[in-house]
């Protein structure tokens, strides 16, 4: 066999030989025409593969930032719901949800396109926005696809079993009220009753419960006068009930009562356990009082009680329950001479003091037996104008 070198015009770089029929063949005996056809087809296929790969890479490059953003937002939302997010993260999540809720749905980020927002209730401060998530989140061990947003922040629904587990795990403290909604709140409180940052909070919600966060306490203590920075304690409460509190102690007790009546339970002082409106009546007339149940009992006249009563008319008293009234009267310095006609109420003046307005403040020691046998003891404060003894001026609430 004679090997003939390829001519300069030949594109085939492989060795070729002549077949017995005189056709040119490569080293493997394949027909050179077939070999050229395969190579001609190979190059377009390679180009198509490269183009498809580039398109896929570009799509992946576009998808990766969206997936990263979605994951970051999900992690931030979870941090907010679990009360471990910093201020910037909370603001970012809030502004993002607000923009998605009220903005053009077509302009939402890709990771929020499938989120659904629906308002429940009226368009007032009590309204709730229900947010439906396309994929579930696990918050404190609770798996959910629904998040609630209201004036208190973000929360999720939980059942009684999850409530018990979360309350026990975080050592949350119960505070209940029949005067406010929600009825019961479990939260972690500091010694002075404030929380410098949001913390886990469970609250009742109809037949179920909500898991959310306490509101961040405003750091305004340093701007307040010294006497307003001081919080009421057991000594103030005891002195107020026994008619021996000074003006500063009375102001602190007054702020405690105002805080309990006006603020949500998450902002109550730590010593308050529950607030209710009992139906104590004397001779059939219900007393307009509300009751504060304390975490730690007070010692009033040597008797322990965790229930104190306050009335708009200036009464601040302790609920002793059904006990013998004789020893209570003795310790309060009251006798049969101090009993009001026709009712089981004993009252005597304990002290009086002049006020800058020119009026006189009078403190009276009071003991009463309610129709159900409950013994109440406390102090009634009123003001009287110094220049007149008009009965209409004799009982101005403190």
């Amino acid at each position: 066999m004679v090997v003939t070198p390829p001519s300069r015009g030949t594109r085939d770089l492989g060795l070729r030989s002549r077949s017995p029929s005189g056709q040119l063949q490569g080293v493997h005996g394949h027909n050179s025409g077939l070999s050229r056809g395969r190579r001609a087809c190979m190059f377009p296929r390679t180009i198509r593969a490269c183009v498809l790969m580039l398109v896929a890479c570009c799509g992946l490059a576009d998808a990766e930032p969206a997936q990263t953003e979605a994951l970051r937002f999900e992690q931030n939302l979870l941090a907010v719901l679990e009360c471990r997010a910093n201020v910037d993260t909370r603001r970012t999540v809030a502004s993002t949800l607000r923009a998605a809720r009220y903005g053009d749905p077509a302009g939402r980020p890709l990771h929020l396109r499938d989120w659904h927002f629906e308002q429940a209730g009226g368009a007032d401060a009590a309204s709730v926005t229900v947010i439906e998530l396309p994929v579930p989140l696990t918050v404190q061990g609770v798996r959910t696809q629904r998040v609630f947003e209201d004036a208190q922040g973000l929360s999720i629904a939980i059942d009684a079993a999850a409530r018990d587990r979360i309350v026990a795990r975080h050592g949350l403290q119960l505070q209940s009220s029949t005067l406010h909604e929600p009825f019961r709140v479990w939260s972690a409180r500091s010694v002075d009753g404030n929380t410098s940052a949001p913390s886990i909070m469970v609250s009742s919600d109809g037949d179920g419960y909500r898991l959310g966060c306490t509101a961040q306490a405003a750091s305004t203590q340093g701007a307040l006068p010294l006497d307003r920075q001081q919080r009421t304690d057991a000594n103030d409460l005891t002195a107020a009930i026994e008619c021996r509190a000074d003006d500063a102690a009375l102001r602190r007790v007054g702020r405690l009562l105002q805080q309990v009546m006006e603020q949500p339970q998450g902002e109550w002082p730590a010593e308050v356990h529950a607030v209710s409106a009992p139906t104590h009546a004397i001779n059939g007339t219900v007393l307009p009082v509300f009751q504060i149940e304390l975490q730690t009992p007070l010692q009033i006249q040597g008797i322990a009680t965790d229930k104190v009563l306050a009335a708009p008319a200036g009464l601040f008293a302790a609920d002793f329950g059904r006990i013998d009234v004789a020893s209570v009267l003795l310790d309060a310095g009251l006798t049969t001479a101090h009993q009001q006609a026709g009712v089981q109420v004993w009252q005597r003046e304990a002290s009086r003091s002049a006020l800058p307005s020119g009026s006189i403040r009078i403190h009276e020691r009071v003991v009463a037996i309610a129709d159900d046998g409950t013994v109440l003891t406390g102090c009634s404060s009123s003001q009287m104008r110094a220049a007149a003894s008009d009965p209409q001026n004799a009982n101005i609430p403190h």
Side-chain angles (χ1 to χ4, degrees):
M1 179 179 66
V2 179
V3 178
T4 305
S7 64
R8 292 183 179 180
T10 304
R11 286 185 168 181
D12 190 358
L13 300 181
L15 297 178
R16 296 186 299 176
S17 62
R18 289 186 181 272
S19 66
S21 62
Q23 290 183 330
L24 292 175
Q25 291 181 331
V27 293
H28 299 294
H30 296 291
N31 184 274
S32 61
L34 179 61
S35 178
R36 284 195 300 271
R38 286 186 174 179
R39 284 193 296 273
C41 293
M42 181 177 68
F43 287 116
R45 289 177 181 174
T46 303
I47 293 172
R48 282 200 303 271
C50 291
V51 171
L52 292 174
M53 185 175 296
L54 286 173
V55 172
C57 289
C58 291
L60 182 61
D62 290 338
E64 283 182 351
Q67 292 174 356
T68 301
E69 184 65 24
L71 179 60
R72 182 184 299 115
F73 184 77
E74 179 181 320
Q75 292 173 341
N76 288 342
L77 176 61
L78 183 60
V80 171
L81 288 169
E82 293 188 338
C83 314
R84 48 185 176 80
N86 58 32
V87 176
D88 291 338
T89 300
R90 294 198 299 272
R91 288 175 179 168
T92 298
V93 169
S95 62
T96 302
L97 291 177
R98 187 163 50 249
R101 169 71 175 89
Y102 298 105
D104 182 4
R108 291 181 189 173
L110 289 176
H111 60 277
L112 295 179
R113 292 284 174 88
D114 295 331
W115 290 43
H116 298 282
F117 298 81
E118 182 178 351
Q119 182 172 316
D124 55 11
S127 66
V128 178
T129 298
V130 182
I131 306 173
E132 298 285 350
L133 281 60
V135 290
L137 283 176
T138 301
V139 183
Q140 294 289 334
V142 179
R143 192 174 175 84
T144 183
Q145 285 185 247
R146 177 174 291 180
V147 175
F148 301 94
E149 183 179 22
D150 56 21
Q152 300 300 317
L154 298 176
S155 62
I156 66 169
I158 61 174
D159 58 20
R163 178 207 66 190
D164 293 341
R165 174 176 57 80
I166 293 169
V167 167
R169 177 182 178 185
H170 295 278
L172 305 184
Q173 172 182 301
L174 172 62
Q175 293 179 307
S176 63
S177 171
T178 58
L179 307 180
H180 301 278
E181 288 291 342
F183 173 59
R184 291 186 291 175
V185 169
W186 291 261
S187 62
R189 311 304 303 276
S190 60
V191 175
D192 62 359
N194 283 326
T195 51
S196 59
S199 59
I200 295 290
M201 181 177 73
V202 175
S203 59
S204 58
D205 180 35
D207 295 332
Y209 302 91
R210 292 272 195 92
L211 172 63
C213 303
T214 59
Q216 183 176 15
S219 53
T220 57
Q221 282 289 89
L224 295 176
L226 181 60
D227 68 321
R228 295 199 63 186
Q229 294 181 37
Q230 298 173 348
R231 304 182 64 86
T232 188
D233 57 17
N235 292 330
D236 290 339
L237 297 175
T238 302
I241 290 171
E242 295 180 349
C243 275
R244 52 183 180 81
D246 58 21
D247 288 344
L250 289 176
R251 284 195 295 271
R252 291 192 292 271
V253 171
R255 283 196 297 274
L256 168 69
L257 300 179
Q258 183 179 17
Q259 189 174 8
V260 168
M261 291 298 296
E262 297 179 359
Q263 299 299 322
Q265 285 149 276
E267 299 178 27
W268 281 0
E271 59 266 24
V272 176
H273 173 65
V275 176
S276 60
T279 55
H280 290 307
I282 297 178
N283 277 10
T285 301
V286 176
L287 300 177
V289 299
F290 68 93
Q291 177 178 281
I292 299 176
E293 187 175 342
L294 303 172
Q295 300 285 356
T296 305
L298 299 175
Q299 290 291 327
I300 308 295
Q301 301 176 201
I303 301 173
T305 180
D306 60 356
K307 297 180 179 65
V308 296
L309 306 175
L315 175 68
F316 194 59
D319 183 339
F320 280 167
R322 297 183 180 183
I323 65 171
D324 182 14
V325 73
S327 61
V328 179
L329 291 172
L330 181 62
D331 290 335
L334 294 167
T335 66
T336 55
H338 300 108
Q339 184 174 2
Q340 295 183 10
V343 292
Q344 296 191 84
V345 176
W346 294 259
Q347 192 168 351
R348 69 171 177 83
E349 182 177 320
S351 64
R352 63 173 58 196
S353 58
L355 299 175
S357 62
S359 300
I360 297 175
R361 176 181 292 146
I362 300 175
H363 300 292
E364 293 182 298
R365 201 71 170 84
V366 178
V367 172
I369 303 178
D371 293 349
D372 63 357
T374 300
V375 175
L376 310 175
T377 182
C379 184
S380 175
S381 299
S382 59
Q383 290 180 209
M384 183 176 66
R385 299 188 187 280
S389 58
D390 186 348
Q392 293 181 353
N393 299 327
N395 283 298
I396 303 174
H398 171 65

